[in-house]
Amino acid sequence: MDKVLYTAMVAAKEIELRKSVNANNISNAATSGFKRQVVATRALEMFGAGHKTRTYAMTHTAGIDASEGAIKYTGSSTDLTIRGDSWFVLHDGQNEYLSKNISYAVNPAGELITMNGSKVATSQGGVLVPNNALVEVSAQGDIFFKYPEQALLNKVATLKTVVAKSNAIEINAKGQVVSPNAKDVVFPQIVTGALQQSNINSVSLAMESMDLSNRFQMNMKVYDSAKKMSDSTNRLIGN
Amino acid sequence: MQSLYTAATGLDAQQKKLGTIANNIANVNTTGFKKSRLNMENLLHQKIRQPGIEVGDSKLPSGLSIGVGVRVQSSQEIHSQGGLRQTDSDLDIAINGDGFFQVVMPSGEVAYTRAGNFGTDGDGNIVSGNGYLVEPQITVPVDAMSVEISQEGVVSVRMQGQVALQQIGELELAKFINPSGLSNNGGNLYLETGSSGAPIVSQPGIDGIGTLLQGQLEISNVNVAEEMVAMIEGQRAYEMASKVVSSSSEMIKHVNDALR
């Protein structure tokens, strides 16, 4: 009876972990640029006494679903989003990480930063924006300065963009998307004045949530029947 | 149960988002108001299992890391140009460009505003809608017939019985390298912060700081249709997170039932 109990316990615990992932995905349904986290549960052979058919469950991260989210036009020219498998590169002062969206601003030092204070990486390192210049970014990621009373734009740098497919992406402990050894994009497709929303499909996640609850309940039923079995045994001994 | 807390972060973030939308909609008719939006970011990831641990005779190809929810990263004011409304009042001035008017608060601190619904105080000084002196101080003589403000900020008056305009002062505008970094003080006023940078004060019309339009007011840049869509999005996301809370609670109930 004990073995049944423990096998059911492991399964319930793993379902609880999957439920957390599901909750995280749902919580981030309205986070722009968020990509759905994917986990998988596998059956592993249980060693030791008992039947060979006994297996236990283990959940592991299977990466992220990097499919594109809906593009939402914001009308703010400082919002940028990148399409396809390409990502923008940002630097938070400690490490580089990837992002699908950038909402940039110029800090007093003249550097291009995002709303969480990370620096925007460019092919030429950092760029310094002069006081009187306006920043424009083209669909290819070229950064231009426009000075007042000047008709022409001056190209100063190019945004650093890399290609990273789903299977090459990891999430670090800070929750940032990273992809070591990602290669530079040759022709990035950047949309200005728009942000990419999360790629969360609410219907499938709601179903998953329900499914997990039901499977959890099933494991609790196993608990219950194991308990009944041991109760019967106890009754036999008691008489 | 982690999923309960993870979903709670979703509830919290969406509630704040709805608060921001409500504020935008409430200020749809506020002169010079700039809409604000909340930027969300996912929280850190909990590393539950490291990749490569040995399971029986094989190694796990990937570990298990679980995100613990969402948080509001920042609120960002979108300083795009608002529409213009004709008012025909001499002291209503709109800015067409990036600049801000400067006003002196009673504390002596300089605040910045886009709301150009000016008037005069008892001494003829030009003051903002909330009664603060406009910097640089300009006094309109009592017997002035009308006030003329040029696009470059030159303020002139036409005196009784005179043909030529008489110049009484020049308005200046201040520009910031990062206007989203200004701190919103309420009352249509903004204050300088470390992240906005120091104000760059100049005459209107120079260096993209904007020109002045007399007899007009800048209306808010809130787009009601856009806010409505954002509201629906926020509300649905809230609803889904609350469903996760109740289904997590259901799961705990199953545990309790089994243990009875």
Side-chain angles (χ1 to χ4, degrees), chain A residues 10-31:
Chain A
V10 169
K13 198 185 102 196
E14 295 299 312
I15 292 170
E16 201 183 304
L17 290 173
R18 288 191 69 143
K19 184 80 178 174
S20 306
V21 176
N22 178 265
N24 183 48
N25 284 334
I26 289 183
S27 293
N28 283 290
T31 306

Side-chain angles (χ1 to χ4, degrees), chain A residues 86-149:
Chain A
S86 318
W87 297 76
F88 292 117
V89 181
L90 303 174
H91 200 286
D92 71 352
Q94 289 168 331
N95 60 286
E96 280 194 343
Y97 65 98
L98 309 181
S99 172
K100 271 287 171 189
N101 292 325
I102 289 183
S103 299
Y104 66 81
V106 182
N107 73 5
E111 295 163 320
L112 280 185
I113 52 162
T114 61
M115 287 303 132
N116 58 357
S118 295
K119 292 198 176 90
V120 178
T122 71
S123 53
Q124 283 84 347
V127 282
L128 284 181
V129 184
N131 264 344
N132 58 346
L134 286 173
V135 181
E136 296 274 350
V137 179
S138 77
Q140 280 74 44
D142 296 330
I143 305 171
F144 294 93
F145 288 167
K146 161 102 173 63
Y147 295 97
E149 287 99 37

